[in-house]
Amino acid sequence: MTLYDTIMPVNSGLVSPTLCLALTFVAVGIYALYQWLLPKPLPGIAYNPEATKSLFGDGPGMVRDISVTGEFGIWCTNQPWILLADFRESQDILTRRKDFDKSTFITDGMGCLGDFHARFKTNSIWKASRRWIQDLMTPSFLNTFVGPIMHSKGLELVKLFETKMNLANGRPFSVKADFDYASLDVMIGFAFGENITDTAIGPQVKSTAQLDPSKIQDGHLDEPVTFSEAPINDFLVAVHEAPEVVEKTVVAWTPRLSLWWWKKMSWYKKIFSQKDRIVREQIEKAVENYRMGEVKSGLEHMLVREETAAEKEGREPNFANHFLVDEIFGDIIAGHHTTGGAMGWVTKYLTGHPHVQSKLRSALYSALPEAVGEKRFPTFEELRRAHIPYLDAVIDEMLRLTAVTVTREALCDTEVLGQWIPKGSQIFLVSNGPGFLSPSLPIDDAKRSPTSRQAKDRSWDETKDMKIFDPERWLVQKGEDVEFDAVAGPQLGFGLGARGCWGRRLAHMEIRTVMSLLVWNFEMLEIPESLGGYAGFDGISRRPQQCFVRLRKLQAQN
């Protein structure tokens, strides 16, 4: 028998011509379906040729890179992804154009936060949620209620850092979790006032103060000292861990399905059962305070807004509304996670740029001579009222270099820079490319939208190295004075427009207050290269992967 004889011929009766033809049609059909399902490039827009050969497009490569670097969280979707690396057009989309709105990328990624305002499209539900919190970014609320809390937590952080500094005896140590805990306490105070007495930073201060120096393991001067974290209240643990659920969802292949599955897991239930129980308890306490005429905390202000809305609509106020629960919890999550990371970035940049650190400290001392003369810390009111352009420039330069990519979704078929953009496309407004970290790409103005052409171009000297940390970019000469100019150049650190970060004033005030106290009291010394660097994790915001300091106390000032 030959090899040919082993192949069953059609006329053997084992395989009929009809079946053979049918199998051929099925194979051709499957191949045609596969080709049809492959991602198709949008006309005129650059793309990765390899991505057109996979049903998942760029997804596998992106997820592979994210698993290694932690940067640029993105998942597979059945809608096109478009990266826009042009600030003028990004600004136009965020502030003027009505054919783009909040992205499904964000809506699904923040699914665990429920009916939190940041997840909604710009609709009536979003507007109603924003009305509840409209008093919480006013100067009166921030300056009289939240600011003193920030200052108090900043002083606790100084105390904790000083204790660790003494125990480390010249060696570096991590402060990443410490910033998170301090920011968490600020947001708990912001939301609930004195109705929750447990703190996150307090146990760290107490635990570290009780450490026996002889128990610190010996090591090389550049080897970091590891301090154990003290246990914190279960609700604070839940708030601290909830952002990790968001970040897991962001990099999931199927975010909705993944979230559905996680909700059945004990770890997920533990986090969000704490949320439901504690926040509802806090609402009951806030209602009691409100009925007695005491309105201080963020939650109490929200109850006032709910009752006002109920009167206008001719209904009873619904203080048990799950929207209220989701809103205040979402505000706490977003506020503590982002600001804790931001303070870590400022610390890293000041450590890596001692000349900037020195100039900032001099600016602080010059602006607050009474505190210097009395050898004490500046008060919150002194810090709030102080005119320190260089401090604001340091913060904005940090935001420029660490901004997370802003995402929008096309609500209809439209155009960007003359190119067709189909409805549902996810537009990633890149903040770590041309115009931010490298010179802007040349673009024909005729391709810009009418509103973009009419707007003033917001650019600066792009001949300088745009990747380096240089706060001077944000300072302009006005007569004999040097002033901070918030619009000196491109900035997406807090987004832009109506859907920009709602809590930017809160975050800026906290960074300004806490970092001023730390720079006032400590010199951040050089650390080993292995403990430095500017690698980050992308999620709700871009956070540093590590944050180490080596401190020296400045005795002359307090």
Side-chain angles (χ1 to χ4, degrees), residues 366-385:
S366 296
L368 299 159
E370 288 188 11
V372 173
E374 296 170 7
K375 298 187 183 300
R376 60 170 174 81
F377 288 112
T379 66
F380 171 71
E381 273 301 304
E382 287 174 326
L383 283 171
R384 181 179 75 81
R385 295 177 182 277

Side-chain angles (χ1 to χ4, degrees), residues 412-473:
C412 58
D413 289 354
T414 186
E415 286 189 2
V416 173
L417 296 178
Q419 303 299 330
W420 174 68
I421 305 296
K423 178 181 178 179
S425 296
Q426 308 296 302
I427 312 290
F428 294 85
L429 309 177
V430 178
S431 55
N432 62 346
F436 288 89
L437 304 185
S438 62
S440 301
L441 298 172
I443 294 176
D444 183 356
D445 260 16
K447 293 184 176 182
R448 297 189 181 278
S449 69
T451 48
S452 178
R453 288 197 298 270
Q454 293 167 9
K456 182 181 178 182
D457 187 11
R458 204 168 148 190
S459 60
W460 49 24
D461 183 2
E462 295 188 347
T463 62
K464 296 180 179 179
D465 187 347
M466 300 174 71
K467 292 182 180 179
I468 65 171
F469 181 74
D470 182 10
E472 304 285 342
R473 303 179 200 273

